[in-house]
Amino acid sequence: GNGAVDLEGEDAYGSTGFPPAGTVQHDYGSRAVHLNFGKRSVFLGLHQPLYEHMDTFPAKILKMCNVIASILLIIGGVYRLLASFGGPVVRPECNANAFRDKFCPGTDAAQCFLMHNKTDREGDFEHIDCNWVLTYATSPADGFPNFVVAVFIVFYGIVAFCEEVYEQMVKSLMGHLHFLATLWGRGLFYLFMSSVCMTHAHTILMLCTSLVMALAFTYILLYFAVTYTTYGDKLGIRTHGGG
């Protein structure tokens, strides 16, 4: 009574699947990441299969990395989704230095241009440089394919986030994604997702996907370190099942 939250039920999240203000599942003990947001405390449990055979400290670090990676994937997916409505995601570029090396070797790239007589009339000339080349360059329409890819990225980014924070919401789906419970599977998942989302034409996408890709390679290196060397015990991560 008196507004207290019953934490003795089987699901402390209640029927909504979301934790009530100031409380989360009560049986995590020290196996949880404790986050404070003003008056609200949130505990992210480490009971998922990926963390079962890890010491608490490395499990906490990887837990936060997974939460951040899922958020970055969602941001990248949403950005790519919006970009798909604004024209081609991949944009043509002209390398001014390459243009200079071809036509004006030994000069400043900013001062390198060719003269072109547009009408064969005396004095009717224009400069041909990278800016002029780009006015005639186009990219193939890729709006719909990028839309499909963006929806895919956002969906699995949300699934990855919910698996770390609100696992009850995706419990049945995660039963079909066993590879996410292994070091190699998680690494390949992040590597694939970041590769699909990455493009050099947008700084935000490059930043988000580069961070996720770095985590992907970290997981893959951890898999080989834990499986084929003795560093796993030193790191507090032990093999289980398929790694």
Side-chain angles (χ1 to χ4, degrees):
N2 299 325
V5 179
D6 180 13
L7 296 179
E8 299 302 323
E10 181 178 349
D11 181 8
Y13 285 0
S15 60
T16 63
F18 291 88
T23 61
V24 290
Q25 289 197 7
H26 63 293
D27 55 352
Y28 290 158
S30 61
R31 293 283 292 177
V33 177
H34 182 196
L35 302 176
N36 285 315
F37 299 98
K39 296 182 179 180
R40 181 185 178 89
S41 294
V42 175
F43 293 81
L44 305 180
L46 300 174
H47 59 282
Q48 289 90 345
L50 178 65
Y51 311 114
E52 285 181 353
H53 296 265
M54 297 182 187
D55 291 346
T56 300
F57 181 71
K60 286 183 176 181
I61 294 177
L62 291 179
K63 178 78 172 185
M64 290 307 304
C65 288
N66 288 332
V67 172
I68 294 172
S70 64
I71 294 174
L72 291 175
L73 286 176
I74 294 172
I75 293 174
V78 171
Y79 185 91
R80 195 178 181 104
L81 181 67
L82 297 176
S84 68
F85 294 102
V89 172
V90 178
R91 300 169 183 171
E93 291 186 353
C94 177
N95 190 317
N97 290 328
F99 188 92
R100 174 203 60 196
D101 294 339
K102 176 67 176 179
F103 300 105
C104 316
T107 63
D108 184 4
Q111 303 297 323
C112 178
F113 58 85
L114 304 176
M115 300 297 294
H116 170 60
N117 193 320
K118 297 185 292 182
T119 63
D120 291 331
R121 291 184 298 183
E122 186 177 353
D124 193 8
F125 291 93
E126 64 181 345
H127 292 165
I128 298 179
D129 54 13
C130 265
N131 292 329
W132 182 88
V133 171
L134 288 175
T135 61
Y136 294 92
T138 60
S139 296
D142 56 4
F144 181 74
N146 276 305
F147 173 81
V148 175
V149 170
V151 171
F152 174 86
I153 295 170
V154 171
F155 174 77
Y156 280 100
I158 293 175
V159 169
F161 178 80
C162 291
E163 197 259 340
E164 299 296 337
V165 181
Y166 300 122
E167 67 274 8
Q168 294 299 324
M169 296 178 62
V170 294
K171 187 175 182 179
S172 60
L173 178 60
M174 295 306 298
H176 301 284
L177 303 176
H178 302 290
F179 61 90
L180 290 179
T182 65
L183 294 174
W184 66 265
R186 185 72 65 142
L188 292 180
F189 169 73
Y190 286 144
L191 183 61
F192 173 75
M193 295 293 286
S194 59
S195 299
V196 170
C197 189
M198 178 178 286
T199 173
H200 70 280
H202 296 269
T203 304
I204 292 179
L205 292 180
M206 279 297 297
L207 177 62
C208 292
T209 55
S210 295
L211 294 175
V212 176
M213 188 171 288
L215 180 60
F217 285 116
T218 299
Y219 266 110
I220 294 173
L221 289 175
L222 281 176
Y223 167 72
F224 284 103
V226 170
T227 305
Y228 299 105
T229 72
T230 60
Y231 286 102
D233 289 332
K234 297 178 181 179
L235 295 172
I237 304 174
R238 286 159 291 280
T239 58
H240 63 287

